[in-house]
Amino acid sequence: MSWKTLDDIDLNGKRVLVRVDINVPVVDGAVTDATRIQRIVPTVRDILAADGKPILLAHFGRPGGERRESLSLKQLVPTLENAFDAQVLFAADCVGAEAELAAEELQPGQVLLLENTRFHAAETKNDPDLAAGMARLGDIYCNDAFSAAHRAHSSTEAIARLLPSCAGRLMQAELEALEGALGAPKRPVTAVVGGAKVSTKLELLGNLIDKVDYLVIGGGMANTFLVAKGINVGNSLAETAMKDTAADILTKADKTGCKIVLPSDIVVAEKFEANAPHQVLPADQCPDNGMILDAGPDSVAEITEVFAQSQTLIWNGPLGAFELEPFDTATNAAALKAAALTRSGQLVSVAGGGDTVAALNASGAAHVFSYISTAGGAFLEWMEGKTLPGVAALEH
C-alpha cells in the first residue's frame, strides 16, 4: 500500500481539501437518495475530530463548463448539514477570491462546500492551472471519491501532485477491499461476470482468467459463450459476431487452469416480460422461438457449490433478467448463498457495478457482502487491471 490515509497526516489546524462524490439524485431541490453523502460522513467526521477543516470539492451532473443553477451544489447544503451534524458553509466557486476568503475564514467545527468543479470546462481536461487554483484553498488533499478515480481531472489527479495527499475513509475501504480481492486474495478465487454483452467486458474477462480459479458467466453474456460452443440459443440475447472471441476466451481459460462455469440448464420463455410462461430445459435444448432469461436450478447448484469451495468472490453483473420475476431466481439464490458463506466467515465477497448492486439489494444479500462498491466505471476498470489516475496520483 503506497498511498497514505488520514491516519498518516497531522490534520490539526489544517485545511483539508476533500474530493468527494455527492452526485446524488435531486428532485425539486430535494435529495431523493443520500447514500453517497452517507458514505463520506466517516471522512468528514474524522477530519473534524482531528481539528482539521474539511473543504469539499465535488462535481454534480454534466454541466459541460456552464454555470447552471439546477446543477449547483448549494442545494445539497441542508442534507450535508444533517449528515455531518455540523455547519456547512458554501462558496459560489471552487477557485478564486471568494473561495479563498471562505477557506481562510473557515472555523474549527465548520465544513466548507465549494461549487461544482465542472462549472469549469478545464476540470475534465485535467488543467494544471485550475488544479493550482484549487490547491491554494488547502494545506492537504484527500481523495475520497473512488468512483471518480478512473478520470484524470483537475480535482482528482493534477491537484494530488500539488499538495501532501491521502485517501479518505471511503477510498481507503474501497482500495483495501479490491486489493484483498484481486491483488493478494485468499484462494480459491471465484469471479461472477454477468450482464448483456461480452463486447463491453472483454478486457475484464481477459484480466480475470489469469487471476481467478473459477469464472462464472451469466446473463446474456453466457448465451454468446453457448453459441461459441455450437449450441442453439433461439431468440435469446447473444452477440453472435463475438462467438470467435468467446471461443478464444474458453481456450485461454483451459490453458491457464481457470474453470469457466456456464449454465448447464436454462429457463426459457417466448416473451421478455415478468411472469411469462416458461420452462426449464437443458442448455442445449433451447427452442428456436425461445429466449433464455435465467440459469436453471442445476446451474445454480453448480454455482453455489463453487462458492462453497472458494475463499474469495468478486461479482459484477446478474445471472439472468433479474429485473423480471421469476427470472431473478438464479441471481437471488446465488447471492443468498454468497451472503451465507460470508456471514459464516468462509468467504470474502466483493461486488460492484450498477446492475449488480441493484440485483444484490433486491435479493436482500447486499448488506452481508464484505464490500459493495458503488463506483461503477472505476470498479470495472480496476477489475480490468487498469491503472486509475486518481489512485496513482496519491502514490507520488
Side-chain angles (χ1 to χ4, degrees), residues 6 25 30 102 127 135 140 143 184 195 201 220 242 246 250 263 292 312 340 380:
L6 289 169
D127 182 73
I140 292 160
N143 193 338
K201 295 191 177 177
M242 299 295 295
L250 292 170
I292 302 170
T312 302
L380 207 53

Side-chain angles (χ1 to χ4, degrees), residues 35-373:
T35 304
R36 285 181 171 174
I37 288 172
Q38 290 301 327
R39 296 196 104 176
I40 65 166
V41 169
T43 294
V44 173
R45 285 202 176 145
D46 282 0
I47 293 168
L48 289 170
D51 294 320
K53 300 173 183 177
I55 300 174
L56 306 185
L57 279 166
H59 75 276
F60 192 60
R62 296 174 185 268
E66 290 177 33
R67 288 190 165 271
R68 288 161 54 184
E69 200 57 39
S70 62
L71 294 179
S72 171
L73 284 168
K74 188 173 186 178
Q75 60 196 316
L76 303 188
V77 169
T79 309
L80 291 169
E81 287 193 324
N82 190 43
F84 303 150
D85 195 23
Q87 184 183 13
V88 177
L89 306 176
F90 179 74
D93 203 344
C94 60
V95 290
E98 183 186 337
E100 287 175 30
L101 182 62
E104 214 171 281
E105 293 183 345
L106 191 63
Q107 298 301 305
Q110 295 177 328
V111 178
L112 175 61
L113 173 65
L114 303 172
E115 184 56 284
N116 194 341
T117 58
R118 290 189 186 170
F119 281 178
H120 294 269
E123 155 75 338
T124 56
K125 298 179 175 68
N126 202 20
D127 182 73
D129 293 335
L130 181 63
M134 294 172 181
R136 279 197 286 276
L137 308 178
D139 308 301
I140 292 160
Y141 174 72
C142 170
N143 193 338
D144 208 28
F146 179 80
S147 54
H150 59 312
R151 308 272 186 236
H153 290 174
S154 299
S155 68
T156 62
E157 205 273 345
I159 190 173
R161 305 184 181 281
L162 303 176
L163 293 171
S165 299
C166 66
R169 297 303 185 209
L170 179 56
M171 174 79 91
Q172 179 185 348
E174 190 101 33
L175 293 176
E176 287 173 351
L178 296 182
E179 178 59 27
L182 267 188
K186 290 183 177 175
R187 293 193 170 275
V189 182
T190 294
V192 174
V193 180
K197 295 182 175 181
V198 174
S199 53
T200 59
K201 295 191 177 177
L202 269 181
E203 289 179 86
L204 173 61
L205 295 169
N207 186 46
L208 289 176
I209 282 171
D210 291 326
K211 295 189 174 179
V212 305
D213 303 291
Y214 298 96
L215 179 54
V216 176
I217 299 177
M221 290 176 63
N223 302 336
T224 303
F225 280 85
L226 294 176
V227 170
K229 295 180 79 170
I231 294 171
N232 175 42
V233 296
N235 285 331
S236 306
L237 175 67
E239 291 178 287
T240 50
M242 299 295 295
K243 68 178 183 180
D244 290 345
T245 304
D248 290 344
I249 290 169
L250 292 170
T251 303
K252 184 182 175 188
D254 269 346
K255 288 177 181 166
T256 61
C258 170
K259 178 174 166 49
I260 289 189
V261 180
L262 292 169
S264 56
D265 60 344
I266 51 179
V267 181
V268 178
E270 290 182 19
K271 293 180 179 176
F272 185 81
E273 57 187 42
N275 301 306
H278 56 278
Q279 56 185 327
V280 177
L281 296 167
D284 60 358
Q285 290 183 27
C286 181
D288 289 342
N289 63 346
M291 274 187 279
I292 302 170
L293 296 184
D294 202 8
D298 290 350
S299 303
V300 172
E302 184 180 5
I303 291 166
T304 54
E305 179 56 34
V306 165
F307 288 0
Q309 293 169 19
S310 302
Q311 291 201 66
T312 302
L313 171 67
I314 310 155
W315 191 321
N316 177 258
L319 297 175
F322 78 97
E323 63 275 34
L324 303 177
E325 291 186 350
F327 309 113
D328 56 354
T329 302
T331 302
N332 290 347
L336 291 169
K337 178 64 173 182
L341 291 165
T342 304
R343 190 184 283 115
S344 67
Q346 291 172 255
L347 191 67
V348 172
S349 50
V350 176
D355 278 355
T356 313
V357 176
L360 295 181
N361 279 332
S363 72
H367 69 285
V368 187
F369 268 57
S370 306
Y371 193 81
I372 298 276
S373 170

